[in-house]
């Protein structure tokens, strides 16, 4: 990882791109993909494209033998344009139109996830014979960025859908996602045990067990290693549901550590007379890259570039005219007292869910520009 940061910092020093920008090291993306494969031997790895869809990242993922978890026709086209085979794609979004399904099927996609009777009927009609996994609501511990109740069905509903999928001539599977940035491996054990119960209740042997993504990456707090997650997951599979072929859909754990955002300080000031904390405004905020600062969910590390000396507490905010564009006011943040407008800050660990979440032109600010370094950097 040090090597990777060195490559990124050398690029920034050499090219001096305008801020804010994200630089992603594709060598680390390839290494991380290989590490996930090594931790789960024989499993199918489908990188969740939404985490970071830049072509160089997709190329690095592919080079390490993984395919893609896609969520829209646009992501299908993107992956195919990078040379992916349709058989390496899994359409993981349970929210889709019949026309999306027909499009995917026509392009050769044969694996889908669903969690409702309506979508299952559409799949049976427009993607006949495909492998269709029923996504469960698993009820494990909340992750840092939980999905709430938007996806997944209750186990009793899942058992009925599993039977219906088999009756409709589809190949039934079971899927779940424990929520992104999930620090507790026990969440997967609960999901796998629930999947086993659903399969038994349905009397259907699933062809696929898709345990989603969710593996956490380190910011300020330590998180389990891939080996730590894998030990719990393999043990749970052995005890509960050893039959089906395993699939993973990691996003964050493949790309987060490979990215670094460089940002410029726009203003340093104080606000309330009774609060001596400085407000530090950056040229990156919640609408051009720092979306996961919503509710201060992810506490990124902040590294001033070339500014040293004693530090004091700050509130950190973005550049737009939006009152919600504040990154941290409860999360403790300290920055050098000498920090002033024009200074630079680096935010490491920002390769996932940053550029892909930025708005197109809110307040006239362009989406976060991404640059790639490493072996796959020259992707056209
Ligand atoms: C977002 C998403 C993922 C990736 O989750 P990470 O936490 O980034 O690993 C995987 N599967 C589905 C269905 C998703 O929506």
């Amino acid at each position: 990882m040090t090597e990777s940061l060195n490559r990124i910092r050398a690029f920034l020093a050499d090219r001096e791109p305008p801020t804010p920008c994200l630089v992603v090291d594709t060598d680390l993306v390839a290494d991380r993909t290989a590490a996930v494969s090594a931790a789960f031997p024989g499993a199918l790895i489908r990188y969740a494209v939404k985490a970071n869809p830049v072509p160089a990242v997709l190329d690095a993922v592919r080079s390490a033998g993984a395919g893609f978890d896609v969520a829209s026709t646009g992501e299908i086209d993107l992956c195919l344009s990078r040379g992916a085979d349709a058989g390496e794609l899994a359409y993981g979004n349970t929210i889709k139109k019949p026309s999306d399904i027909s499009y995917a099927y026509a392009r050769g996609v044969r694996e889908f996830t669903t969690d409702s009777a309506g979508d299952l009927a559409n799949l049976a009609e427009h993607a006949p014979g495909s492998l269709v996994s029923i996504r469960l609501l698993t009820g494990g511990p909340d992750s840092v960025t939980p999905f709430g109740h938007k996806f997944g069905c209750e186990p009793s509903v899942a058992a009925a859908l599993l039977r219906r999928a088999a009756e409709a001539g589809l190949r039934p599977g079971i899927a779940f996602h424990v929520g992104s940035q999930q620090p507790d491996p026990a969440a997967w054990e609960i999901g796998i045990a629930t999947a086993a119960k659903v399969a038994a209740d349905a009397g259907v042997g699933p062809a696929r067990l898709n345990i989603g993504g969710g593996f956490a990456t380190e910011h300020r707090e330590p998180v389990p290693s891939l080996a730590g997650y894998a030990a719990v997951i393999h043990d749970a599979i052995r005890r509960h549901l050893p039959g089906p072929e395993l699939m993973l859909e990691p996003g964050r754990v493949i790309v987060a550590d490979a990215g670094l955002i460089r940002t410029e300080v726009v203003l340093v000031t104080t606000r309330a007379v009774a609060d001596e904390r400085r407000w530090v405004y950056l040229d990156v905020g919640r609408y051009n890259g720092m979306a996961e600062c919503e509710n201060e969910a992810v506490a990124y590390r902040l590294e001033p570039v070339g500014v040293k000396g004693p530090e004091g507490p700050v509130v950190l905010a973005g550049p737009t005219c939006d009152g919600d564009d504040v990154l941290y006011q409860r999360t403790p943040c300290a920055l050098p007292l000498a920090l002033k407008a024009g200074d630079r800050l680096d935010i490491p660990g920002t390769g996932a869910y940053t550029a892909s979440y930025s708005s197109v032109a809110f307040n006239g600010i362009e989406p976060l520009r991404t640059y790639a370094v490493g072996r796959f950097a020259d992707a056209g």
Side-chain angles (χ1 to χ4, degrees), residues 48 50 69 92 135 147 177 180-181 212-215 249-252 353:
K50 74 178 187 289
D69 166 38
R135 180 162 167 179
F147 287 109
H177 194 301
S180 200
Q181 187 71 3
F215 307 99
E249 298 169 338
R252 185 185 301 278
Y353 303 115

Side-chain angles (χ1 to χ4, degrees), residues 259-281:
L260 177 141
I261 288 177
R262 176 156 288 183
T263 172
E264 180 179 320
V265 176
V266 179
L267 177 70
V268 182
T269 188
T270 50
R271 287 291 179 217
V273 177
D275 186 352
E276 96 288 20
R277 285 187 302 177
R278 293 162 298 157
W279 280 68
V280 173
Y281 298 84

Side-chain angles (χ1 to χ4, degrees), residues 122-161:
N122 290 338
L123 286 163
E125 183 177 346
H126 300 289
S130 294
L131 200 163
V132 174
S133 294
I134 312 298
R135 180 162 167 179
L136 308 174
L137 197 58
T138 62
D142 259 356
S143 70
V144 170
T145 59
F147 287 109
H149 286 253
K150 180 168 178 184
F151 307 105
C153 52
E154 303 273 347
S156 60
V157 176
L161 292 180

Side-chain angles (χ1 to χ4, degrees), residues 196-223:
K197 183 166 186 315
V198 164
D201 289 351
V204 171
R208 165 81 67 243
L209 176 62
N210 176 349
I211 63 169
F215 307 99
T217 60
E218 184 169 334
H219 296 287
R220 300 188 192 183
E221 304 296 330
V223 296

Side-chain angles (χ1 to χ4, degrees), residues 8-379:
I8 290 171
R9 292 220 161 89
F11 172 88
L12 286 165
D14 181 46
R15 293 275 299 275
E16 297 187 331
T19 66
C21 64
L22 167 66
V23 186
V24 179
D25 178 34
T26 57
D27 287 3
L28 190 58
V29 171
D31 288 355
R32 281 297 155 86
T33 307
V36 174
S37 285
F40 295 91
L44 298 171
I45 312 296
R46 300 287 178 258
Y47 167 68
V49 172
K50 74 178 187 289
N52 190 324
V54 305
V57 165
L58 304 185
D59 292 357
V61 163
R62 260 198 96 222
S63 79
F68 301 101
D69 166 38
V70 294
S72 65
T73 56
E75 286 186 353
I76 291 171
D77 288 344
L78 176 64
C79 293
L80 296 178
S81 79
R82 301 316 301 172
D85 192 275
E88 297 162 17
L89 306 187
Y91 198 134
N93 193 350
T94 60
I95 313 299
K96 48 198 172 301
K97 300 172 182 173
S99 59
D100 299 328
I101 299 170
S102 310
Y103 186 91
Y105 190 79
R107 293 292 175 285
V109 178
R110 294 291 181 272
E111 174 141 15
F112 299 84
T113 303
T114 191
D115 59 7
S116 65
D119 187 52
L120 179 58
N122 290 338
L123 286 163
E125 183 177 346
H126 300 289
S130 294
L131 200 163
V132 174
S133 294
I134 312 298
R135 180 162 167 179
L136 308 174
L137 197 58
T138 62
D142 259 356
S143 70
V144 170
T145 59
F147 287 109
H149 286 253
K150 180 168 178 184
F151 307 105
C153 52
E154 303 273 347
S156 60
V157 176
L161 292 180
L162 200 62
R163 269 197 308 272
R164 197 176 301 179
E167 286 158 13
L170 299 164
R171 297 175 61 211
I174 301 181
F176 62 84
H177 194 301
V178 296
S180 200
Q181 187 71 3
Q182 172 60 262
D184 187 354
W188 279 267
E189 132 103 280
I190 292 167
I192 292 161
T194 309
K197 183 166 186 315
V198 164
D201 289 351
V204 171
R208 165 81 67 243
L209 176 62
N210 176 349
I211 63 169
F215 307 99
T217 60
E218 184 169 334
H219 296 287
R220 300 188 192 183
E221 304 296 330
V223 296
S225 65
L226 274 173
Y229 284 115
V232 173
I233 288 167
H234 284 135
D235 181 59
I237 288 173
R238 195 160 48 239
R239 284 186 291 120
H240 299 294
L241 193 57
E245 188 176 34
L246 185 64
M247 179 181 281
L248 286 81
E249 298 169 338
R252 185 185 301 278
V253 79
I254 284 182
V255 78
D257 285 341
L260 177 141
I261 288 177
R262 176 156 288 183
T263 172
E264 180 179 320
V265 176
V266 179
L267 177 70
V268 182
T269 188
T270 50
R271 287 291 179 217
V273 177
D275 186 352
E276 96 288 20
R277 285 187 302 177
R278 293 162 298 157
W279 280 68
V280 173
Y281 298 84
L282 305 176
D283 63 3
V284 73
R286 279 185 43 197
Y287 303 101
N288 62 337
M290 307 300 280
E292 290 205 309
C293 289
E294 184 174 354
N295 299 322
E296 309 193 20
V298 176
Y300 295 108
R301 299 190 302 283
L302 306 168
E303 299 179 355
V305 182
V307 188
K308 297 204 165 53
E311 298 190 336
V314 300
V315 174
L316 207 65
T320 65
C321 296
D322 182 298
D324 289 325
D325 189 10
V326 175
L327 305 181
Y328 302 118
Q329 46 192 338
R330 298 188 311 275
T331 305
C333 284
L335 287 171
L337 297 171
L339 191 77
K340 58 182 192 315
D343 288 340
R344 304 294 173 91
L345 285 183
D346 282 347
I347 315 177
T350 43
Y353 303 115
T354 49
S356 58
Y357 265 142
S358 40
S359 71
V360 171
F362 179 53
N363 254 188
I365 294 173
E366 68 170 319
L368 186 64
R369 269 181 214 234
T370 304
Y371 301 90
V373 299
R375 295 203 303 290
F376 303 90
D378 293 328

